[in-house]
Amino acid sequence: MELGPYLLLASLEGAVLAAVLSLTALGLSLVFGVMRVVNVAHGEFFMLGAVASWFVATFVDETLGAPPWLGFAAALIFAPLAVGALAWAADRLVLERVGYDPERTIVATIGLLYIIQQATLMGFGPDARPVQPPFNHRLALPWIEWGEQGLALYWPWGLSTTSYKLFVIGAAVAMLIAVWLVLSRTRLGLVMRATQYDRETAQAFGIPVGQVFALTFAIGAGLAAVAAVLIVPIQQAHYLMGGDPLLLSFIVVIIGGLGSLRGTVLAALLIGMSDGIISVFFSPTLAKILATLLVAMVLVFRPQGLFGARAA
């Protein structure tokens, strides 16, 4: 197989990573944009979504004897709601009590990280466990090559993907559109944006800022859980899987601009695609090194990110 088909395969893998990363990073960016809280436990909410997905899928399969798609559909509904409810409780019991102070919330979310991680280890165990995808048909991909007869379509051996990976990309795009519609076209989005721009003025106009913060924190965690449910049939669930999503999400929101939806999506596409291609042709370690160098360059030359607003 020539270089072109390999590049296509690597790009597809990068697109899957970019789709999942965009949802995870969007949750982190939303929490910071509205609450000004750096949620260090965001990766553990991602991990909880994957673990909850395994529990739900296993229960539906073993108890009800239902097909895999039903367990996956149940996990896609239950896991984000359960993780969002836990995040809402964490906001009410921890973050609100420290007054959303930037330094204290960092320490508090670090504490949440270790509590969630160790509780999951005790309840779930140290082993990685797979979740069966709802469908996983192998799809052969064509390639176009210039030959003696002009442009010709042929099917190289090994050039293929799965229907589930394409579904992950489509589902993430649909979810991003839904979030954009909520933020830009609904009263909830208007209230969240008002709280983001001026907390004191919003509170003076009767907006329950505390409830908005709790809901925002829950939505951010729920988005991470949705991303985990989508990726767990590909990666498997384990209690240490929150580290990489957290690191990559921070990289994405720093590059795209904290609180910027457009910047988060475009930065996730950049990081996801480059990570997929570099990991296939070189090594995953090199991909992380280059991403970190890109963050350093952004911080030096454009600290607010590519699409973030410059501080007054």
Side-chain angles (χ1 to χ4, degrees):
M1 193 186 299
E2 299 177 355
L3 177 62
Y6 279 118
L7 183 60
L8 176 60
L9 284 177
S11 299
L12 284 172
E13 294 299 319
V16 173
L17 175 61
V20 174
L21 181 58
S22 62
L23 291 177
T24 310
L26 179 59
L28 185 66
S29 180
L30 190 64
V31 167
F32 181 85
V34 175
M35 304 172 61
R36 292 296 185 264
V37 168
V38 178
N39 181 18
V40 184
H42 192 68
E44 304 315 304
F45 289 129
F46 177 93
M47 178 270 292
L48 280 179
V51 171
S53 176
W54 179 86
F55 274 113
V56 172
T58 302
F59 174 80
V60 172
D61 179 46
E62 296 181 355
T63 305
L64 305 179
W69 69 264
L70 185 59
F72 177 82
L76 197 55
I77 296 173
F78 174 79
L81 291 177
V83 173
L86 179 64
W88 182 89
D91 176 87
R92 299 282 84 182
L93 296 175
V94 179
L95 301 185
E96 185 181 31
R97 294 178 181 273
V98 299
Y100 301 104
D101 178 76
E103 289 80 10
R104 293 180 179 180
T105 53
I106 290 177
V107 175
T109 53
I110 291 175
L112 282 174
L113 184 156
Y114 285 109
I115 291 172
I116 294 173
Q117 188 180 96
Q118 295 306 308
T120 305
L121 174 61
M122 291 187 291
F124 181 72
D127 299 326
R129 304 180 188 182
V131 173
Q132 189 174 354
F135 46 84
N136 203 32
H137 307 292
R138 178 65 60 175
L139 302 175
L141 299 175
W143 184 253
I144 299 177
E145 187 179 63
W146 183 269
E148 297 179 357
Q149 306 298 327
L151 289 177
L153 188 68
Y154 75 105
W155 304 81
W157 182 87
L159 183 59
S160 63
T161 187
T162 64
S163 57
Y164 181 73
K165 289 182 178 180
L166 297 180
F167 167 77
V168 170
I169 298 172
V173 171
M175 193 69 187
L176 290 171
I177 294 174
V179 172
W180 175 76
L181 289 174
V182 169
L183 293 178
S184 61
R185 305 295 175 87
T186 67
R187 185 177 183 277
L188 173 61
L190 178 62
V191 168
M192 292 173 67
R193 283 183 281 121
T195 306
Q196 173 183 355
Y197 292 142
D198 195 325
R199 182 187 310 182
E200 288 75 17
T201 302
Q203 194 164 15
F205 275 89
I207 294 177
V209 172
Q211 295 180 20
V212 174
F213 280 2
L215 183 60
T216 301
F217 200 67
I219 292 175
L223 287 172
V226 170
V229 175
L230 291 176
I231 201 63
V232 71
I234 300 174
Q235 290 188 351
Q236 299 189 357
H238 58 93
Y239 81 103
L240 291 176
M241 70 183 300
D244 280 349
L246 178 65
L247 173 62
L248 291 175
S249 294
F250 272 119
I251 290 174
V252 165
V253 296
I254 290 173
I255 293 175
L258 289 167
S260 170
L261 174 60
R262 178 180 60 171
T264 298
V265 174
L266 292 179
L269 185 62
L270 171 65
I271 295 299
M273 294 295 291
S274 62
D275 189 279
I277 294 173
I278 295 172
S279 297
V280 169
F281 285 100
F282 299 98
S283 73
T285 302
L286 179 61
K288 301 297 186 296
I289 292 174
L290 293 179
T292 305
L293 289 176
L294 181 58
V295 169
M297 293 178 62
V298 169
L299 290 175
V300 170
F301 296 104
R302 192 175 174 84
Q304 73 272 25
L306 300 179
F307 295 93
R310 185 181 296 274

